[in-house]
Amino acid sequence: MKLPRLSRPATLFALSAIAAATNALAAPKAKPTVAEAEKFISATEARFANEYENIVRAQWIGANFITDDTEAIAAYFGEKALNSQGEAALAARRYNGLKLKDDAARKLKLLQLTLMLSDPKERADYAGKQAILSGAYGKAKYCPSGAQDSCLALGELEKILATSRDPAKLLDAWTGWHQQARGYKQTYVDYVTLSNKGAREMGFADTGALWRSQYDMKPEQFAAEMERMWQQVKPLYESLHTYTRLKLRQTYGAAVVPASGPVPAHLFGNMWSQDWQHIYPLLKPVTGASSFDLSPVLVERNTSAKEMTQYAERFYTSLGMPKLPATFWTRSLLTKPADREVVCHASAWSLDRLDDVRIKMCIRPTAEDFKVIHHELGHTYYQLAYKQQPILFQNGANDGFHEAIGDTVALSMTPSYYRQLGFMDKAPEPNADIGELLQVALSKVAFLPFAYSVDKWRWDVYAGKVKPEDYDKTWWQLREQYMGVSRPAPMTAGGFDAGAKYHVAADVPYARYFLAHLLQFQLHRSLCAEAGYKGPLHQCSIYGSQKAGAKLQALLEMGASKPWQEALKAATGEDRIDGSALLEYFAPLKTWLDEQNRQLASVEVKK
Ligand code: X8Z
Ligand code: ZN
């Protein structure tokens, strides 16, 4: 979720300090002192602490009960958050260049990484559009026959994508969902203009540059780092893509899946072709296939959403982390309500920056959601661990770390872990490794170029390189170039396919997930070593290792208090995010894929 950097009840002292700081802004003295800078920082922290709770409550209610009223309230508080952050950012500039202690200098820097709209009308407009876009995505539905009683929500359409093997049905669900975003394209276009204005007021070239500035390095350096990491993992993706194409051709035939060029996007088992785990049955090896599927086990046992969440909690407590607070269970939204509109896209919240942590997720009894709930609790345990930090440091080391924690834990859900839980009765076949690795790769490796291209698109949109009439054209150019995936039907004017992805509509940056997908393997490798594990990386589970848990907890407790490179160094001994651990994890699969591709290609040629 997008967290306003704010929180806790105010004191009179705090309010008077704000007044002092604001006055100082109105009539700036020649040169501020270090003491003034420190006073400004504590006043700002107090102000944010004071305002945080109501802002987040308004957002929580807005996402949990989508109505015109809650949207208006979320927008009202959104404007307040923007105002506080903008005022603080602008005021912070005055202290740039002072010789401050590291913590204070870092806080001043973090304060300035935001947008600032000085015109209250524009601020309200921006916050209003943000609330409209998030609500519009949340309540979008596809009504195939046009009749209101036949409407399908995203969850149902995703299920069709995941389970149907009928290309016509897949195409209908795919296009049905993608056409929903047309309705809020203009709002998004106007929102981008306002957002850029806000970024420029703070001295950034545009909002994309602001986003790329949040990684303790220059924005252009961050863009270069992303490209470096992508080049590192690209050969593995290409092997997986080639293999997947050959298998999809066997399933759907040469008329649906071309021998070369991009593959139509509706065939990958996922609405955005970002995670291919659901087509594993079409791709599984002839021998050495992993046959275990958690989904039917969960259904058969009637495992509830709460129980699935408790399994995830148990993983974290096995590492020595605390049990979730009682209010987590009474205040979270774990299942899709039948009688109201909610934003189903999973998110983790801290309402008071202390123990009032919650999840909002429409959990289904599937292996996919079993992983997602572990992902979400990664956010929750991060929030609980950094609650002792000053408010400006209550964040991930960078946003990629926040996304990586739960996934790191989920990498330990190996067959032996599932056996320990009693989900699997037989030991896996001794040669089932490749099948298991393929399953993981269909989620983790398939995802990489998707994650990269989402923000490549947005960086260009925010930079004004892509005009609204070319949104779809560029979106699909990037998807073809990086993912090797094509639009399954011709584009039509007014389309907004990017907007059919939650993070675009809700304006959540996406590079974080790319980082997280490399970082989680680095963390996994280091935590496995800490746990004393010696075998191949993909068979390691840190379940039950208090030693690994302590190492992870130390990282979480640091929050954003240090540049992320330092946090990573402490946790792994490495100081850059890198694909080498991911490549090590999948090395046996890469060899196998390349061999399969050689064999399958020679069969194709003979045909
Ligand atoms: O949005 C999410 C999480 C919430 S932060 C469920 N993810 C990305 C997505 O769904 O597109 C997790 C992986 C990528
Ligand atoms: Zn997340």
Side-chain angles (χ1 to χ4, degrees):
M1 65 164 296
K2 187 134 98 188
L3 264 187
R5 293 176 193 275
L6 301 179
S7 196
R8 239 166 12 175
T11 61
L12 280 176
F13 159 76
L15 289 176
S16 56
I18 294 163
T22 319
N23 292 341
L25 177 68
K29 289 188 216 101
K31 195 172 185 304
T33 63
V34 169
E36 280 166 350
E38 283 169 358
K39 201 166 158 200
F40 163 75
I41 291 170
S42 47
T44 304
E45 288 183 315
R47 176 182 188 178
F48 283 7
N50 176 31
E51 294 174 348
Y52 175 93
E53 206 164 322
N54 281 334
I55 291 168
V56 178
R57 270 187 213 296
Q59 289 183 348
W60 172 264
I61 294 167
N64 272 271
F65 306 84
I66 307 177
T67 69
D68 293 345
D69 298 324
T70 60
E71 197 172 283
I73 290 168
Y76 175 82
F77 281 96
E79 187 278 328
K80 292 219 162 316
L82 206 61
N83 185 31
S84 304
Q85 287 167 4
E87 278 183 9
L90 215 54
R93 281 178 167 179
R94 199 165 115 73
Y95 307 100
N96 288 345
L98 279 178
K99 268 222 154 336
L100 298 169
K101 291 198 194 105
D102 285 356
D103 273 12
R106 184 163 175 80
K107 285 176 182 172
L108 279 182
K109 185 177 134 179
L110 292 175
L111 276 173
Q112 293 172 69
L113 291 173
T114 184
L115 46 86
M116 153 80 198
L117 283 163
S118 49
D119 178 345
K121 276 226 308 279
E122 285 178 346
R123 241 175 9 240
D125 198 8
Y126 174 88
K129 290 198 162 48
Q130 197 165 53
I132 290 170
L133 286 166
S134 167
Y137 183 95
K139 60 188 179 203
K141 284 191 182 61
Y142 167 47
C143 311
S145 60
Q148 286 306 307
D149 57 356
S150 72
C151 300
L152 300 168
L154 175 59
E156 293 156 298
L157 295 165
E158 283 187 271
K159 193 168 172 185
I160 296 172
L161 264 295
T163 54
S164 172
R165 305 294 179 231
D166 173 350
K169 226 173 144 187
L170 292 170
L171 184 63
D172 184 56
W174 191 97
T175 38
W177 177 251
H178 279 78
Q179 77 199 20
Q180 297 311 309
R182 310 167 80 85
Y184 46 84
K185 178 171 175 181
Q186 191 53 47
T187 310
Y188 184 80
V189 170
D190 297 340
Y191 174 83
V192 166
T193 306
L194 281 166
S195 179
N196 273 336
K197 186 148 192 284
R200 287 180 191 130
E201 277 197 51
M202 268 318 288
F204 297 96
D206 58 72
T207 300
L210 162 63
W211 287 4
R212 296 189 298 277
S213 300
Q214 303 186 337
Y215 296 94
D216 296 303
M217 58 178 82
K218 296 243 169 308
E220 55 279 10
Q221 204 182 341
F222 180 69
E225 276 294 277
M226 288 286 285
E227 181 62 23
R228 172 186 66 79
M229 293 182 261
W230 164 239
Q231 290 302 331
Q232 223 183 346
V233 294
K234 191 174 160 199
L236 175 59
Y237 177 76
E238 284 174 348
S239 297
L240 184 66
H241 183 273
T242 303
Y243 176 74
T244 304
R245 173 207 301 285
L246 291 164
K247 287 291 177 178
L248 287 176
R249 269 169 80 80
Q250 288 178 353
T251 307
Y252 292 110
V256 181
V257 184
S260 62
V263 177
H266 61 314
L267 306 177
F268 291 89
N270 175 278
M271 187 59 83
W272 307 275
S273 338
Q274 68 179 70
D275 182 322
W276 306 347
Q277 63 179 297
H278 294 121
I279 54 167
Y280 175 72
L282 311 181
L283 271 64
K284 66 181 182 196
V286 181
T287 58
S290 135
S291 54
F292 176 65
D293 181 1
L294 182 62
S295 301
V297 182
L298 294 171
V299 172
E300 206 175 288
R301 294 185 183 187
N302 256 323
T303 311
S304 67
K306 184 171 177 187
E307 285 163 337
M308 285 171 62
T309 313
Q310 285 166 330
Y311 279 115
E313 179 192 34
R314 198 170 313 162
F315 202 119
Y316 289 88
T317 56
S318 90
L319 300 176
M321 295 186 188
K323 280 188 85 77
L324 292 167
T327 49
F328 172 90
W329 300 104
T330 51
R331 295 175 182 171
S332 288
L333 177 101
L334 299 180
T335 47
K336 186 173 176 5
D339 56 352
R340 64 175 202 262
E341 306 287 1
V342 302
V343 177
C344 268
H345 193 88
S347 53
W349 302 60
S350 171
L351 275 280
D352 63 352
R353 306 185 302 111
L354 292 169
D355 292 313
D356 190 353
V357 287
R358 311 176 191 177
I359 295 294
K360 183 184 60 54
M361 177 174 169
C362 304
I363 302 178
R364 295 157 296 186
T366 63
E368 182 179 15
D369 278 4
F370 197 68
K371 294 229 165 112
V372 176
I373 188 64
H374 285 74
H375 171 97
E376 292 307 322
L377 287 199
H379 289 306
T380 304
Y381 277 99
Y382 217 152
Q383 290 160 347
L384 289 171
Y386 59 53
K387 69 182 180 190
Q388 306 302 349
Q389 290 285 351
I391 187 164
L392 293 169
F393 293 158
Q394 289 180 357
N395 219 329
N398 68 36
D399 54 9
F401 282 72
H402 227 305
E403 297 304 335
I405 303 308
D407 284 11
T408 301
V409 161
L411 284 178
S412 281
M413 300 206 290
T414 56
S416 74
Y417 170 71
Y418 285 126
R419 279 193 82 201
Q420 261 172 285
L421 289 194
F423 281 138
M424 203 173 162
D425 40 15
K426 295 197 305 273
E429 306 276 321
N431 63 348
D433 256 37
I434 289 299
E436 276 141 21
L437 272 173
L438 179 60
Q439 249 173 331
V440 184
L442 291 174
S443 281
K444 306 289 181 185
V445 180
F447 180 75
L448 296 165
F450 171 77
Y452 188 31
S453 58
V454 170
D455 272 4
K456 274 222 154 254
W457 181 82
R458 270 190 303 196
W459 293 348
D460 283 354
V461 166
Y462 275 121
K465 289 186 195 154
V466 182
K467 302 279 172 263
E469 57 273 25
D470 293 329
Y471 274 6
D472 275 356
K473 195 173 121 216
T474 308
W475 177 251
W476 287 105
Q477 261 167 6
L478 288 166
R479 288 162 72 76
E480 291 193 9
Q481 180 186 344
Y482 289 98
M483 300 170 70
V485 160
S486 60
R487 198 179 199 283
M491 288 179 248
T492 51
F496 184 29
D497 288 342
K501 176 69 195 160
Y502 169 77
H503 302 72
V504 174
D507 200 37
V508 180
Y510 213 81
R512 60 183 63 182
Y513 300 105
F514 182 85
L515 301 177
H517 274 62
L518 303 196
L519 196 47
Q520 63 190 257
F521 289 92
Q522 290 175 275
L523 292 172
H524 181 64
R525 178 160 70 180
S526 152
L527 295 175
C528 288
E530 191 70 14
Y533 176 82
K534 298 247 157 32
L537 211 45
H538 65 277
Q539 285 170 356
C540 163
S541 176
I542 60 164
Y543 183 66
S545 169
Q546 309 253 325
K547 250 187 113 205
K551 183 126 196 179
L552 181 58
Q553 182 69 11
L555 171 69
L556 303 189
E557 284 174 8
M558 283 176 80
S561 62
K562 296 276 185 282
W564 65 263
Q565 292 87 341
E566 274 181 53
L568 183 63
K569 187 100 188 159
T572 66
E574 301 165 68
D575 57 10
R576 53 185 206 171
I577 303 178
D578 186 82
S580 71
L582 180 144
L583 295 178
E584 179 185 333
Y585 184 103
F586 290 110
L589 180 71
K590 173 83 166 83
T591 309
W592 182 86
L593 284 171
D594 291 343
E595 179 54 31
Q596 295 301 305
N597 290 342
R598 263 190 297 275
Q599 287 174 15
L600 288 165
S602 69
V603 174
E604 284 249 327
V605 171
K606 276 189 214 134
K607 266 203 287 192

